[in-house]
Amino acid sequence: MKILLLNGPNLNLLGKREPEIYGTATFEAYFADLQKRFPTVNLSYYQSNIEGHLIDKLHEVGFEWDGIILNAGAYTHTSLALGDAVAGISTPVVEVHISNVFARESVRHHSFIAPNCIGSISGFGLRSYELALKYWVDKG
Ligand code: DQA
């Protein structure tokens, strides 16, 4: 099973960025841990701060891979183009957020991604990603 974890802008700063909201672990350390804990899943990770690169990645994997776990960061709330990219591919996408976006500013309550996803997971810290991953693992 091939699953891509796709992170958008500023998520390369995890560990240093607003730790009171996003925690102190780096994504690289969390990803290495996930690979150990889910050895039967072929997990890949890609991060970009550039909207077009995220769209290119969705096009590249979005017709063959089994699943995509997408944290589009602030593009979630601004990017019709990313929403269209998710709508345009056949690989199912789960939207994730580290923080509970609904407990934050109202600008974060809207998502261009969510209507085109199987579902959304928000507010469980980095565990949001493994909850999404478990969807595919449990489904088999
Ligand atoms: C985020 C929430 C977004 O509103 C924010 O812009 C981010 C991170 C999260 O994971 O909690 O960059 O997607």
Side-chain angles (χ1 to χ4, degrees), residues 1-8 11 27 30-31 34 38 41-47 54 57-58 61-62 65-73 76 86 89 91-98 113 117-122 125-137:
M1 190 189 313
K2 285 174 84 170
I3 307 283
L4 174 69
L5 277 67
L6 182 57
N7 272 347
L11 293 164
F27 198 81
Y30 176 69
F31 183 69
L34 267 192
F38 295 89
V41 184
N42 183 344
L43 282 176
S44 286
Y45 165 53
Y46 179 79
Q47 188 276 332
L54 296 167
K57 193 49 126 180
L58 288 167
V61 311
W65 289 41
D66 299 292
I68 299 170
I69 298 170
L70 173 61
N71 185 347
T76 305
V86 173
I89 60 177
T91 296
V93 177
V94 172
E95 173 189 37
V96 302
H97 297 286
I98 297 164
I113 313 294
C117 292
I118 319 172
S120 301
I121 298 171
S122 169
L126 286 173
R127 289 198 63 214
S128 293
Y129 294 86
E130 65 205 66
L131 293 172
L133 181 56
K134 279 200 79 202
Y135 163 72
W136 280 284
V137 171

Side-chain angles (χ1 to χ4, degrees), residues 9 11 17 22 71 73-74 76-77 96-99 101 104 108:
L11 293 164
R17 172 196 185 197
Y22 300 111
N71 185 347
T76 305
H77 320 297
V96 302
H97 297 286
I98 297 164
S99 63
V101 287
R104 300 181 65 189
R108 297 182 202 273

